[in-house]
């Protein structure tokens, strides 16, 4: 890996030197990073940040994944699973190489970066106004379309207020209803208190940023305000205390680098990377 | 000729079963526990008991409001459309719910009840104010 390390670092240095040195407005300056072509990679994840350099550009993704590194020991560190005694296998050299290759492939799967999207616009769309119904009810009615085959983004979720107004549900209401009728593993109806600001500070003091980010991905939609807020706070904290190694071989590394580059706070990270490669 | 074949295909199962002159209804089946009702919106044969075997569950309705003060109603719109297309009848409570949801136009009884309630409240308000003024 050492042979690959040096040229990687060098090409990165040249690209990353541009944000530090020149005083250009944030968006146009990132043209050096991605060539602004349309995204070639994963069709299902839509991560578009700016018009010119996209998060999904092939080049950007390759750079980010190289920077993330492939520390097998850390990736396949035991996740909390049922205890099984370790199995020992006797292999020839060829079989060992084959097993390492398969492990690397699986590790690459685990390292798929979660999408980075801009915050979603609030919905307020009134479908009907029936003021005649005002005063008949004291309660809202929330109607959800439970057709199994519609994607969750296109589902009709509609609220009839006690004032008689029929409006589309807000994003929070939508998330809650979809979780009620189509429960997803790892997601709770009420977001756990770990995501409040005071509790986040406690978690950061214990260096468990990765766990928080994993919980956040399970709980919130990628373009919700909470998801973005938690991620930004985590990245800020890591940057403040220079704890980049915590996210080194995880799938959150790319997102963190993207965030820091967009805000031009890459000094600490670059110093850390130089030290590591040397 | 084509029309007849279409109707035949859809209603064929009705001709084969035991209910003479029955039809499919989309109605509410009560479930839940004591002091805790819960309705399933269900497509069932008209002659069947309220809570017994149905053809398909097509939604649910929780009459008690939750912690956010909402009554939750789930409706499988695609299947409701299918059953209505097969000639199912819809009972009044389900019609009212669908009217409130916007899938059907507002049920006339909803509007009538709203107007009646309003008139009654207006009369009560007038009666209350008349009581106060002589009482002064």
């Amino acid at each position: 890996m050492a042979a690959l390390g040096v040229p990687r670092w060098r090409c990165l240095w040249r690209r990353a030197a541009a944000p530090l040195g020149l005083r250009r407005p944030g968006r146009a300056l990132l043209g050096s990073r991605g060539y602004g072509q349309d995204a070639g990679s994963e069709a299902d994840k839509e991560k578009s940040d700016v018009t010119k350099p996209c998060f999904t550009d092939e080049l950007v993704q390759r750079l980010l994944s190289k920077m993330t590194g492939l520390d097998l020991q850390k990736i396949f560190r035991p996740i909390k699973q049922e205890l099984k005694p370790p199995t020992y296998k006797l292999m020839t050299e060829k079989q060992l190489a084959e097993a390492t290759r398969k492990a690397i492939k699986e590790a690459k799967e685990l390292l798929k970066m979660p999408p980075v999207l801009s915050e979603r616009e609030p919905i307020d769309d009134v479908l009907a106004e029936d003021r005649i119904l005002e005063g008949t009810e004291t309660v809202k009615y929330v109607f959800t379309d439970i057709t199994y085959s519609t994607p969750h983004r296109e589902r009709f979720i509609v609220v009839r207020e006690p004032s008689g107004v029929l409006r589309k549900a807000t994003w929070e209401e939508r998330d809650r209803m979809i979780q009620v009728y189509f429960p997803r593993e790892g997601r709770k109806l009420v977001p756990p208190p770990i995501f409040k600001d005071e509790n986040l500070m406690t978690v950061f003091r214990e260096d468990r940023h990765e766990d928080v980010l994993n919980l956040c991905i399970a709980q919130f939609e990628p373009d919700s305000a909470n998801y973005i807020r938690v991620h930004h706070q985590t990245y800020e904290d890591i940057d403040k205390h220079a704890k980049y190694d915590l996210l080194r071989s995880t799938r959150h590394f790319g997102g963190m680098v993207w965030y820091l580059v967009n805000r031009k706070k890459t000094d600490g990270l670059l110093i850390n990377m130089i030290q590591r490669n040397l | 000729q084509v029309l007849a074949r279409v109707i035949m295909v859809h209603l064929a199962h009705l001709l084969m079963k035991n209910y003479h002159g029955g039809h499919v209804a989309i109605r509410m089946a009560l479930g839940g526990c004591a002091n805790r009702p819960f309705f399933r919106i269900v497509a069932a044969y008209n002659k069947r008991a309220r809570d017994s075997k149905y053809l398909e569950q097509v939604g649910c309705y929780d009459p008690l409001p939750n912690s956010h003060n909402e009554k939750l109603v789930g409706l499988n719109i695609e299947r409701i459309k299918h059953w209505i297309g097969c000639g199912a009848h819809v009972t009044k409570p389900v019609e009212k719910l669908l009217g409130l949801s916007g899938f059907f136009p507002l049920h006339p009884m909803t509007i009538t009840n709203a107007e009646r309630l309003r008139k009654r409240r207006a009369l009560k308000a007038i009666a209350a104010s008349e009581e106060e003024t002589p009482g002064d």
Side-chain angles (χ1 to χ4, degrees):
Chain A
M1 286 301 230
L4 293 167
V6 172
R8 242 192 294 157
W9 161 65
R10 271 211 207 110
C11 83
L12 207 56
W13 178 247
R14 227 177 286 131
R15 287 184 201 283
L20 289 182
L22 306 165
R23 299 257 157 243
R24 280 195 230 143
R27 308 273 162 171
L29 133 138
L30 293 169
S32 65
R33 195 153 253 265
Y35 297 131
Q37 307 304 317
D38 9 82
S41 45
E42 299 85 44
D44 39 312
K45 290 191 200 155
E46 299 212 347
K47 325 165 216 182
S48 64
D49 194 27
V50 204
T51 42
K52 271 199 280 184
C54 279
F55 190 64
T56 21
D57 285 345
E58 281 274 354
L59 205 63
V60 175
Q61 287 287 308
R62 239 186 294 143
L63 284 170
L64 289 177
S65 48
K66 273 188 204 160
M67 286 172 71
T68 312
L70 210 65
D71 185 4
L72 287 172
Q73 290 299 321
K74 187 174 173 194
I75 299 174
F76 290 115
R77 183 191 24 175
I79 333 163
K80 300 227 165 78
Q81 279 168 350
E82 17 174 305
L83 282 174
K84 271 184 285 189
T87 47
Y88 296 100
K89 288 189 199 157
L90 195 60
M91 295 192 218
T92 59
E93 285 262 348
K94 235 198 298 182
Q95 281 173 333
L96 183 64
E98 165 97 36
T100 335
R101 240 185 314 126
K102 257 206 286 188
I104 290 181
K105 216 167 92 175
E106 267 179 50
K108 284 220 174 87
E109 273 301 309
L110 284 175
L111 284 184
K112 274 233 173 85
M113 292 178 231
V116 175
L117 304 164
S118 46
E119 205 170 316
R120 55 193 179 191
E121 306 278 332
I123 317 174
D124 34 33
D125 200 11
V126 169
L127 299 171
E129 283 234 21
D130 296 304
R131 292 289 163 176
I132 325 163
L133 300 176
E134 204 160 340
T136 43
E137 292 282 340
T138 47
V139 195
K140 294 189 267 186
Y141 278 90
V142 181
F143 298 95
T144 323
D145 179 16
I146 11 181
T147 323
Y148 195 64
S149 52
T150 45
H152 289 319
R153 291 270 156 170
E154 293 164 19
R155 227 166 254 288
F156 286 114
I157 302 185
V158 141
V159 175
R160 175 76 77 171
E161 299 272 349
S163 63
V165 160
L166 187 68
R167 62 169 174 85
K168 286 192 185 165
T170 58
W171 282 112
E172 293 79 41
E173 286 170 353
R174 281 191 72 92
D175 285 339
R176 221 170 356 111
M177 291 303 124
I178 291 171
Q179 181 59 15
V180 165
Y181 291 109
F182 302 97
R184 220 172 96 160
E185 220 187 284
R187 214 176 260 214
K188 312 255 166 83
L189 265 188
V190 182
I194 198 174
F195 295 119
K196 296 211 184 104
D197 296 322
E198 324 82 61
N199 300 332
L200 275 179
M201 309 308 332
T202 328
V203 173
F204 292 154
R205 247 176 278 134
E206 288 182 24
D207 279 357
R208 298 176 68 188
H209 303 76
E210 195 191 327
D211 302 327
V212 161
L213 286 179
N214 285 336
L215 283 172
C216 180
I217 291 177
Q219 178 69 32
F220 298 118
E221 293 280 311
D223 52 359
S224 73
N226 282 323
Y227 178 98
I228 293 175
R229 175 182 59 90
V230 171
H231 274 257
H232 286 350
Q233 282 194 341
T234 322
Y235 298 149
E236 288 284 335
D237 188 76
I238 292 183
D239 190 40
K240 211 175 14 157
H241 301 290
K243 293 183 193 163
Y244 307 103
D245 289 321
L246 285 173
L247 291 191
R248 189 108 273 154
S249 234
T250 61
R251 55 191 178 137
H252 309 290
F253 196 74
M256 181 176 78
V257 172
W258 183 254
Y259 172 81
L260 294 173
V261 165
N262 272 2
R263 283 158 184 76
K264 295 189 264 188
K265 289 188 189 164
T266 42
D267 313 345
L269 178 63
L270 287 166
I271 297 172
N272 193 293
M273 291 189 67
I274 300 166
Q275 286 172 345
R276 177 171 76 105
N277 283 35
L278 286 172
Chain B
Q1 188 200 21
V2 173
L3 197 62
R5 208 179 294 145
V6 160
I7 296 175
M8 273 304 291
V9 162
H10 280 313
L11 300 182
H13 63 282
L14 286 176
L15 296 174
M16 286 190 288
K17 52 105 181 111
N18 308 328
Y19 308 118
H20 177 71
H23 53 86
V24 178
I26 300 181
R27 60 191 189 186
M28 304 233 237
L30 179 65
C33 305
N35 292 319
R36 207 317 175 192
F38 183 81
F39 294 99
R40 282 164 293 151
I41 303 171
V42 130
Y45 284 126
N46 179 38
K47 297 292 183 185
R48 277 265 182 199
R50 183 193 66 192
D51 294 340
S52 84
K53 262 199 275 191
Y54 44 79
L55 293 163
E56 186 182 357
Q57 181 179 350
V58 149
C60 59
Y61 167 51
D62 180 7
L64 299 187
N66 67 5
S67 52
H68 300 266
N69 205 32
E70 309 161 335
K71 287 188 188 171
L72 303 184
V73 182
L75 301 163
N76 194 337
I77 299 288
E78 196 217 318
R79 294 308 294 172
I80 294 178
K81 282 198 240 182
H82 171 265
W83 283 113
I84 296 181
C86 281
H89 296 209
V90 184
T91 55
K92 286 204 211 101
V94 180
E95 258 184 1
K96 289 187 179 162
L97 266 187
L98 290 173
L100 280 183
S101 76
F103 185 60
F104 279 5
L106 262 196
H107 193 85
M109 277 315 284
T110 325
I111 304 179
T112 315
N113 285 334
E115 285 172 353
R116 286 178 187 166
L117 188 66
R118 206 170 266 188
K119 267 191 223 155
R120 231 178 297 143
R121 282 193 190 147
L123 285 173
K124 249 194 250 173
I126 294 172
S129 61
E130 274 178 9
E131 270 185 28
E132 271 175 42
T133 34
D136 262 337

